[in-house]
Amino acid sequence: MPRRWPRATRLSPRTAPRGVALRTLFLLIGLVIGLVFLNGCPESQPTPEASPAPILDGKPAIQIRTTVTGPIQPIPLEIELDQDRVQLGGQLFHEKGLSSDGSISCASCHNLELAGTDRKRVSSGVGGAAGSVNSPTVFNSGFNFKQFWDGRAETLEEQVDGPLLAEKEMNSDWETAIAFLSTNPEYVSSFNSIYPDGITRANVRDAIAEFERSLYTPNSRFDQYLRGDESSITEQELAGFELFQGLGCVSCHQGANVGGNMFETFGVMDDYFADRGDVVEADMGRFNVTGREIDRHVFKVPSLRNVALTPPYFHDGTVRRLPDAVRIMAKYNLGRTLSDEQVDLIVAFLGSLTGEYQGQMLP
Ligand code: HEC
Ligand code: HEC
């Protein structure tokens, strides 16, 4: 497998034993110092004030229990949620007052009528500021193991801070957002009736996240097939699914979300970024989060649920048509050149992943 990043410098065999001995020595010294430190000065533990607590009030991704075996599981038909929080979260999701100039809500870039996206190459925020990556759909985001292309948010709750504070998105801050909500008697009473402590950052995050968990799209024709109704997909779609498995797409795009449960390199077999050109910071993917060489060009494998409705494709939003996205994936991540017929079959299968929101097929 060709890897583009420089390999980590290794100790040459001749110097290795000395290097190992030295490392062991340092490790021992470190341990002793650590023990003395721990026993001798317990008061030096960081206090909550000294290091602000990370946002850990979030819930992990929705766990799926299913009797269907295989690489892809159907989305549950029902997910138990607190409807009051869902409703409040839905209002907040559509609230333009949360942005610095009152012009942008979450829904501006995640339009539920447009399958939870804005169908732009990259999103534009307050004052038309262009972002650096394509806006992923919010539908089914509750099933993703991490949030954002580079997975920098652990949970939906933690994710909320991203757009709210981003200069090129809503360009606001928590003080302003809370102050805005507190002037609205309707919000004050909704928050107070749900949360004992009323309008707080944690409660805003909680309500929005609960609403996002309600944005699941079950009952796609492919899910009906998985549940045993063989007539729900066409022969062509079935052949596409078989190809999707046979080629190995399913090794990365799998689980209930047909993605969203692992990080992988974009360009495992060939250098997508060299071929595309104009490499920017966002192309570094998870490297921007961890700083580790092996994470260069690594992204969260995106969900392929409703993918027929969420162009343009990839984090850079450069690909407008699904067949082209499929071809690129086959070339750069599997080292395969697909025939037009193969591409058509896979695209047909992907079309069968379009699901329902509140009992209606996504438009
Ligand atoms: C200006 C456009 C814009 C606005 C406003 C916006 N988003 Fe996003 N959203 C994006 C973009 C672009 C990304 C991808 C960013 C990245 O991965 O670095 C994203 C990512 C996400 C994700 C992660 C999805 C995934 O699969 O990783 C969620 C969830 C989300 N947004 C929810 C929200 C919520 C909630 C709000 C309102 C508080 C919001 N967004 C406001 C553009 C926007
Ligand atoms: C080695 C893992 C891996 C394999 C194999 C793989 N993908 Fe992907 N796929 C990814 C990653 C990672 C991305 C995100 C790339 C990016 O935008 O940076 C992606 C993105 C996509 C997208 C774009 C989704 C969107 O919303 O923008 C489609 C469509 C897709 N893959 C289809 C396929 C198909 C079809 C195959 C098989 C021919 C396949 N993938 C094989 C990892 C993989």
Side-chain angles (χ1 to χ4, degrees):
M1 215 193 291
R3 301 221 141 170
R4 305 269 154 189
W5 52 82
R7 296 198 176 276
T9 11
R10 289 224 183 85
L11 293 165
S12 77
R14 222 160 47 83
T15 58
R18 207 167 132 224
V20 169
L22 266 178
R23 250 187 295 161
T24 316
L25 189 67
F26 283 136
L27 194 74
L28 279 172
I29 294 172
L31 266 175
V32 171
I33 293 176
L35 278 173
V36 169
F37 185 74
L38 271 181
N39 288 329
C41 27
E43 69 280 0
S44 67
Q45 297 284 326
T47 58
E49 289 81 17
S51 55
I55 307 148
L56 291 175
D57 51 343
K59 289 198 194 132
I62 300 170
Q63 300 297 314
I64 311 277
R65 279 183 211 87
T66 174
T67 51
V68 175
T69 53
I72 298 175
Q73 294 87 47
I75 289 176
L77 294 168
E78 287 286 344
I79 292 178
E80 217 177 291
L81 295 163
D82 177 345
Q83 289 312 321
D84 292 338
R85 284 152 66 214
V86 168
Q87 219 213 324
L88 174 58
Q91 265 173 288
L92 295 168
F93 190 87
H94 291 90
E95 180 56 77
K96 291 184 176 170
L98 290 177
S99 65
S100 62
D101 66 354
S103 70
I104 303 272
S105 73
C106 309
S108 307
C109 304
H110 303 287
N111 187 337
L112 302 187
E113 304 295 311
L114 300 178
T117 70
D118 54 12
R119 298 223 174 116
K120 293 181 182 161
R121 188 179 81 73
V122 293
S123 298
S124 35
V126 159
S132 51
V133 287
N134 179 253
S135 153
T137 179
V138 279
F139 278 109
N140 304 308
S141 53
F143 302 118
N144 290 337
F145 81 135
K146 306 256 158 75
Q147 302 298 327
F148 290 127
W149 287 100
D150 58 14
R152 64 187 180 280
E154 292 289 324
T155 61
L156 284 174
E157 284 83 350
E158 187 184 331
Q159 189 278 334
V160 172
D161 289 49
L164 187 75
L165 309 184
E167 205 180 313
K168 291 179 172 177
E169 297 193 4
M170 300 167 91
N171 190 27
S172 190
D173 57 69
W174 276 111
E175 288 71 31
T176 315
I178 303 269
F180 164 78
L181 294 172
S182 306
T183 57
N184 181 319
E186 230 181 277
Y187 278 124
V188 173
S189 91
S190 305
F191 272 94
N192 286 341
S193 72
I194 300 172
Y195 304 101
D197 50 352
I199 301 178
T200 66
R201 296 175 190 197
N203 297 343
V204 172
R205 290 184 193 117
D206 176 83
I208 292 181
E210 191 76 351
F211 171 68
E212 289 175 306
R213 281 187 279 273
S214 79
L215 300 174
Y216 60 101
T217 64
N219 211 29
S220 67
R221 287 186 301 103
F222 186 70
D223 283 8
Q224 295 172 26
Y225 165 80
L226 288 177
R227 287 203 167 86
D229 177 0
E230 299 202 347
S231 68
S232 61
I233 59 172
T234 65
E235 268 176 39
Q236 209 202 9
E237 289 162 348
L238 181 59
F241 174 48
E242 276 159 7
L243 205 49
F244 189 82
Q245 294 187 93
L247 288 168
C249 311
V250 86
S251 62
C252 297
H253 298 278
Q254 50 163 276
N257 226 4
V258 201
N261 65 359
M262 66 177 87
F263 291 119
E264 277 295 337
T265 306
F266 188 9
V268 177
M269 306 301 287
D270 210 344
D271 197 333
Y272 170 81
F273 295 95
D275 291 352
R276 195 206 61 195
D278 293 332
V279 179
V280 295
E281 194 186 355
D283 294 328
M284 296 306 151
R286 194 137 177 88
F287 175 81
N288 294 331
V289 182
T290 66
R292 299 187 313 181
E293 274 305 318
I294 52 161
D295 286 333
R296 205 177 277 275
H297 304 314
V298 168
F299 296 88
K300 182 183 73 200
V301 175
S303 165
L304 299 182
R305 292 273 174 196
N306 308 305
V307 73
L309 305 178
T310 60
Y313 300 104
F314 299 128
H315 73 282
D316 56 15
T318 51
V319 175
R320 284 164 182 273
R321 296 178 58 252
L322 189 52
D324 296 335
V326 169
R327 258 193 207 93
I328 287 174
M329 268 287 128
K331 176 175 190 305
Y332 291 98
N333 270 12
L334 290 165
R336 302 281 294 246
T337 306
L338 302 185
S339 69
D340 289 350
E341 199 207 345
Q342 287 176 312
V343 171
D344 288 349
L345 293 175
I346 294 177
V347 168
F349 157 64
L350 294 176
S352 74
L353 293 170
T354 301
E356 294 174 356
Y357 174 54
Q358 298 181 332
Q360 301 282 317
M361 274 285 269
L362 285 192

